[in-house]
Amino acid sequence: MNIKHIWIVLKKEAKDIIRDRKTIITSIVVPMLLIPLLNILVGGSISRLNYDMTENVTVALSKESNTEEIRELVENQIFNEFSNITLLDVDDHIEAIEKSTVRVVMDFDKDYKVKLEEGKPFVISLMYDRSQTKSQGSLHIVWDAIESFNKKIVAQRIEALGLNLNLLQPVQVEEYNVADDEKTSGSMLSMFLPLLIVILLSAGGIAPAVDLVAGEKERNTLEPLLTTKIGRSSLLVGKYLTVTLFSLITVIATMTGVLVGFFINPGSLTMGADATITGFTVPPAALLMAIVISITLGMTFAGIQIALSTYAKSFKEAQTYLSFLMMAAMIPGYATMFMQANEIPQYMFVLPVLNALSAFKEILTFNINNTNLVLALCSSLVYVIIALYLAASMFKKERILFRT
Amino acid sequence: MIEIQNISKHFDKVVAVNKISLKVNNGEIFGLLGENGAGKTTTLRMLATMLKPTSGRAKLAGFDIIKDAEKVRGSIGILFGGETGLYDRLSCEENIAYFGQLNDMKTPEIKERIKVLSKAFGMDSYLKRRAGKLSKGMKQKVAFARSIIHNPDIMLFDEPTSGLDISSIRGVQEFIKNCKEEGKTIILSSHSMSEVEKLCDRVGIINKGSLVEYGTLEELKQKHSDEDLEEIFIKLVGGKNEH
Ligand SMILES: Nc1ncnc2c1ncn2[C@@H]1O[C@H](COP(=O)(O)OP(=O)(O)O)[C@@H](O)[C@H]1O
Ligand SMILES: [Mg+2]
């Protein structure tokens, strides 16, 4: 192996890729914009939906119940503390629900007034449309309003009997969150960030890996190259490092996008879901560990990608193999998405891909266990060697390299 | 000089090259004539150290293809037929320089050599342009320049005119003649009798991996008492091969 030759190849391949607009778009521009765009599109619509459901509740009374008296009761006694609920007047209440002009329709018992005065229960029927997310979401709010009206009446009746209201509530519950803000943020991040990193590391190398071997074979540029003084192993390592470099560039581009999105709108990391992520700091040693593990995972993917690209009979075939590889890598990512860092069994820290996922989770939730991280790092290095060996053995096989 | 001794190459059960021995003298053009699948490419790939021979040995410019593979590659230039194999997104200059660098030439040396070659092939006007934007003829000249950037003593041509149009064929043949004038030792594989007759000092006929006959054109004609190389070829190869 010849360091100078490796460097020459790396420089040339990087230059070649950078000049390819298609690769630059798929491995840098798209990843960088992906998260901010998703946030704007998905996050924006989720939070709009949330807002609409909770802050913009429209209610109407059924035709039979639409009397001055009931309107007064509803507006002044049931909804009076719920400024987010508006009572509308509609002609056809069924149509109004179907057309979404109101979310919920209330129908009162005919003799509700007598029952209320006599202290007997009466019924308010709530009509809603289960097929409409907003109607369903608003139902609970109307329900809450009626519940609080219930409590008010109960309190009045208890007091009228000369009893203490506390009689009705022997136990009171209070909850405390022992995780600080950082830990809460970390656990949100630990759900999707490891998966994202694995996807990016496996996706970022696809275009270069396909181009650098299968593409080079298909365009007849590989054979002339092999007649120069460069040894086959130097050529392989040069190409391998280029692929690794571009997987990492893809991750860095995406993370830059995530960070920029986070600074513009801190809610962006959760896509508008009801959770807050405040800033948090990872200990430098753990951060370094995460970076090293990312690099080794990138190197492992690069090795396998080069091997598959060498094995493939054509450019197209290489693309297919590498897409499958990416999907295969996503499976453990999704499978462990909801796994808690402190519940990950130790053997997962030595399995391929799972080791990196588990290590990322530990680091992001500050559940750092040094033995586990060292296991993850060592096993990652072993996988790098295996992947590189695989690539080298493909590259050495005459029947495969010179297959026509 | 190229010396080949009993070289063979097996791909599993397929015997692609079967115990070929021959010697090509300095400054000579040796024509390797054979049909499709006869073993020409495999032979040249072994000489270029891309494939390891199953048995036998060969020396190019005094270097053994197994023990001194890197030095062998440093003393040969190769040109293949069909596509030129340039990198479309690199400029002509970058394409040529890449091969110079990989052949361990120093930057000033590469620059100087590109200047000379550019003048010789008339490439000045498009040297800085990306290879992907050039015409076929221009690309071909870049490929010529690239194959001799390191001024090799030996040139291997593997069916260099196959799949080319007439003017490109002319270009390649001119290039081969120039290489000879510069004193390079050359092996030219071909399935075209006329090309071999026109360019080569000596000819070897290869069939199913074996070298069935070789010598100067005169020697072959005398030995087989036939004036026509094609007739000799058909007689030796048997004419019943596919293609
Ligand atoms: N990489 C390879 N793997 C397996 N068989 C091969 C390979 N290269 C060539 N062959 C076989 O070796 C024989 C000679 O092929 P080749 O040297 O390409 O012939 P030519 O160049 O004269 O057309 C053919 O039968 C071919 O199928
Ligand atoms: Mg051939």
Side-chain angles (χ1 to χ4, degrees):
Chain A
M1 229 182 308
N2 180 326
I3 305 277
K4 223 173 90 193
H5 285 166
I6 294 173
W7 178 237
I8 293 168
V9 172
L10 180 60
K11 264 196 315 192
K12 178 263 162 190
E13 300 292 14
K15 193 196 287 178
D16 205 342
I17 291 172
I18 286 168
R19 287 184 189 172
D20 181 12
R21 212 169 299 150
K22 221 171 44 203
T23 311
I24 290 302
I25 289 173
T26 54
S27 59
I28 299 179
V29 180
V30 171
M32 189 131 86
L33 297 179
L34 182 71
I35 299 298
L37 278 182
L38 267 182
N39 168 48
I40 291 167
L41 295 175
V42 181
S45 72
I46 288 180
S47 55
R48 227 175 304 121
L49 180 70
N50 258 336
Y51 179 85
D52 229 24
M53 244 167 14
T54 54
E55 298 303 315
N56 222 351
V57 182
T58 46
V59 178
L61 290 166
S62 66
K63 212 170 252 162
E64 297 74 34
S65 309
N66 201 356
T67 63
E68 200 57 40
E69 209 176 66
I70 294 182
R71 290 192 78 83
E72 165 124 5
L73 173 73
V74 169
E75 279 185 328
N76 298 336
Q77 293 202 52
I78 300 184
F79 292 164
N80 58 339
E81 278 161 17
F82 288 75
S83 57
N84 51 343
I85 308 182
T86 1
L87 190 63
L88 298 181
D89 205 357
V90 296
D91 291 335
D92 183 343
H93 58 266
I94 300 293
E95 193 188 84
I97 291 184
E98 277 170 1
K99 286 198 172 153
S100 246
T101 40
V102 299
R103 307 267 168 72
V104 179
V105 170
M106 299 169 90
D107 182 56
F108 280 65
D109 265 357
K110 280 200 182 70
D111 49 355
Y112 86 94
K113 201 168 178 196
V114 184
K115 281 184 174 163
L116 184 59
E117 274 161 12
E118 287 178 358
K120 287 182 185 157
F122 71 93
V123 175
I124 302 177
S125 312
L126 298 180
M127 281 173 259
Y128 74 107
D129 181 347
R130 203 175 187 149
S131 67
Q132 295 184 37
T133 318
K134 287 180 183 174
S135 178
Q136 209 184 343
S138 297
L139 177 72
H140 299 284
I141 291 165
V142 177
W143 193 305
D144 281 349
I146 296 171
E147 274 306 305
S148 80
F149 172 70
N150 257 340
K151 280 200 182 127
K152 219 158 46 188
I153 301 294
V154 169
Q156 281 169 14
R157 289 178 184 168
I158 296 275
E159 257 169 61
L161 291 174
L163 296 172
N164 191 324
L165 198 57
N166 285 344
L167 272 177
L168 290 183
Q169 197 165 30
V171 180
Q172 283 192 336
V173 181
E174 283 178 13
E175 57 174 48
Y176 294 97
N177 178 5
V178 293
D180 51 18
D181 274 358
E182 280 200 350
K183 264 195 156 163
T184 317
S185 305
S187 87
M188 286 301 303
L189 285 180
S190 76
M191 260 171 48
F192 78 96
L193 209 52
L195 171 68
L196 184 66
I197 292 175
V198 168
I199 294 177
L200 293 168
L201 280 171
S202 58
I206 293 181
V210 169
D211 206 51
L212 260 49
V213 191
E216 185 136 60
K217 272 206 274 184
E218 193 155 302
R219 291 189 298 268
N220 288 321
T221 53
L222 185 63
E223 207 166 333
L225 196 58
L226 292 173
T227 67
T228 65
K229 276 175 94 171
I230 190 171
R232 213 163 290 173
S233 38
S234 307
L235 182 61
L236 170 69
V237 173
K239 287 178 177 292
Y240 169 75
L241 291 179
T242 314
V243 176
T244 308
L245 181 70
F246 276 86
S247 330
L248 296 176
I249 286 179
T250 305
V251 175
I252 293 168
T254 313
M255 291 304 141
T256 312
V258 170
L259 281 182
V260 170
F262 176 74
F263 282 120
I264 293 171
N265 169 17
S268 67
L269 287 183
T270 54
M271 309 217 164
D274 193 16
T276 44
I277 289 184
T278 53
F280 72 105
T281 42
V282 178
L287 185 66
L288 188 71
M289 201 75 147
I291 292 173
V292 174
I293 291 176
S294 299
I295 294 174
T296 54
L297 185 60
M299 289 171 81
T300 307
F301 281 132
I304 301 173
Q305 286 167 333
I306 292 268
L308 288 174
S309 181
T310 311
Y311 180 77
K313 289 192 191 73
S314 68
F315 194 85
K316 277 255 164 64
E317 204 177 292
Q319 276 179 325
T320 311
Y321 290 158
L322 296 201
S323 312
F324 274 122
L325 175 69
M326 183 179 81
M327 283 188 260
M330 281 160 71
I331 294 170
Y334 278 113
T336 55
M337 197 161 169
F338 296 107
M339 202 175 239
Q340 275 185 209
N342 52 6
E343 287 175 351
I344 301 175
Q346 197 155 49
Y347 69 82
M348 297 230 321
F349 287 85
V350 297
L351 297 177
V353 184
L354 284 169
N355 58 357
L357 285 164
S358 311
F360 293 150
K361 267 186 197 283
E362 276 205 352
I363 291 168
L364 285 169
T365 52
F366 307 97
N367 259 306
I368 294 166
N369 172 330
N370 288 325
T371 319
N372 287 347
L373 292 189
V374 170
L375 275 178
L377 184 63
C378 293
S379 57
S380 295
L381 289 173
V382 171
Y383 293 126
V384 169
I385 292 167
I386 294 175
L388 196 51
Y389 176 80
L390 196 69
S393 65
M394 282 295 166
F395 223 66
K396 290 226 161 78
K397 280 209 176 76
E398 297 175 340
R399 301 199 56 147
I400 287 170
L401 200 60
F402 297 106
R403 170 151 66 189
T404 38
Chain B
M1 195 151 77
I2 301 170
E3 292 169 87
I4 306 172
Q5 280 173 30
N6 252 327
I7 210 168
S8 295
K9 180 70 189 179
H10 300 192
F11 293 107
D12 288 341
K13 296 224 168 72
V14 180
V15 183
V17 172
N18 188 16
K19 294 188 184 141
I20 287 185
S21 298
L22 64 89
K23 202 162 146 186
V24 183
N25 297 313
N26 283 338
E28 194 180 35
I29 302 187
F30 187 91
L32 206 51
L33 196 57
E35 299 190 301
N36 253 337
K40 305 181 292 294
T41 300
T42 306
T43 305
L44 293 183
R45 279 177 176 164
M46 285 193 285
L47 296 183
T49 78
M50 282 188 270
L51 294 176
K52 277 212 170 60
T54 310
S55 62
R57 49 195 305 184
K59 273 186 167 182
L60 283 82
F63 301 118
D64 186 276
I65 55 167
I66 294 163
K67 279 183 251 149
D68 302 314
E70 192 180 316
K71 284 183 180 146
V72 169
R73 290 198 299 273
S75 2
I76 59 172
I78 298 206
L79 198 74
F80 303 91
E83 300 241 349
T84 45
L86 299 178
Y87 297 102
D88 284 351
R89 290 186 293 270
L90 297 191
S91 72
C92 302
E93 197 175 17
E94 286 165 340
N95 264 292
I96 301 169
Y98 185 42
F99 275 50
Q101 290 174 327
L102 291 178
N103 278 315
D104 291 335
M105 294 169 75
K106 300 208 167 57
T107 311
E109 198 186 348
I110 293 173
K111 280 201 170 133
E112 198 49 43
R113 178 80 176 148
I114 288 180
K115 220 184 264 173
V116 172
L117 292 171
S118 173
K119 198 162 222 162
F121 290 112
M123 304 189 297
D124 284 346
S125 62
Y126 52 87
L127 206 55
K128 305 267 182 217
R129 272 164 63 190
R130 291 201 185 174
K133 303 224 160 100
L134 302 181
S135 73
K136 259 191 180 170
M138 291 170 170
K139 277 188 185 175
Q140 198 179 44
K141 286 179 179 170
V142 178
F144 293 163
R146 184 180 69 176
S147 71
I148 53 168
I149 172 75
H150 53 306
N151 201 5
D153 290 335
I154 293 172
M155 285 299 292
L156 306 177
F157 292 90
D158 188 16
E159 303 201 42
T161 55
S162 80
L164 299 186
D165 55 36
I166 294 173
S167 69
S168 304
I169 291 177
R170 270 282 168 81
V172 173
Q173 293 178 345
E174 285 304 309
F175 177 57
I176 296 173
K177 280 186 202 154
N178 285 341
C179 287
K180 183 183 162 73
E181 274 165 29
E182 282 175 16
K184 297 188 193 303
T185 308
I186 298 167
I187 296 186
L188 162 66
S189 94
S190 179
H191 62 254
S192 151
M193 320 283 157
S194 61
E195 183 168 282
V196 168
E197 274 190 292
K198 191 150 90 186
L199 295 168
C200 300
D201 302 308
R202 285 193 303 145
V203 189
I205 293 173
I206 182 171
N207 184 37
K208 293 178 188 159
S210 300
L211 195 67
V212 290
E213 184 66 277
Y214 75 98
T216 62
L217 281 171
E218 288 313 310
E219 282 166 1
L220 293 192
K221 284 172 186 172
Q222 245 170 29
K223 188 169 168 191
H224 295 273
S225 46
D226 205 321
E227 268 305 295
D228 192 14
L229 183 60
E230 196 167 324
E231 288 301 321
I232 301 172
F233 183 83
I234 300 287
K235 205 156 76 188
L236 287 167
V237 170
K240 60 162 182 52
N241 275 291
E242 81 270 60
H243 188 75

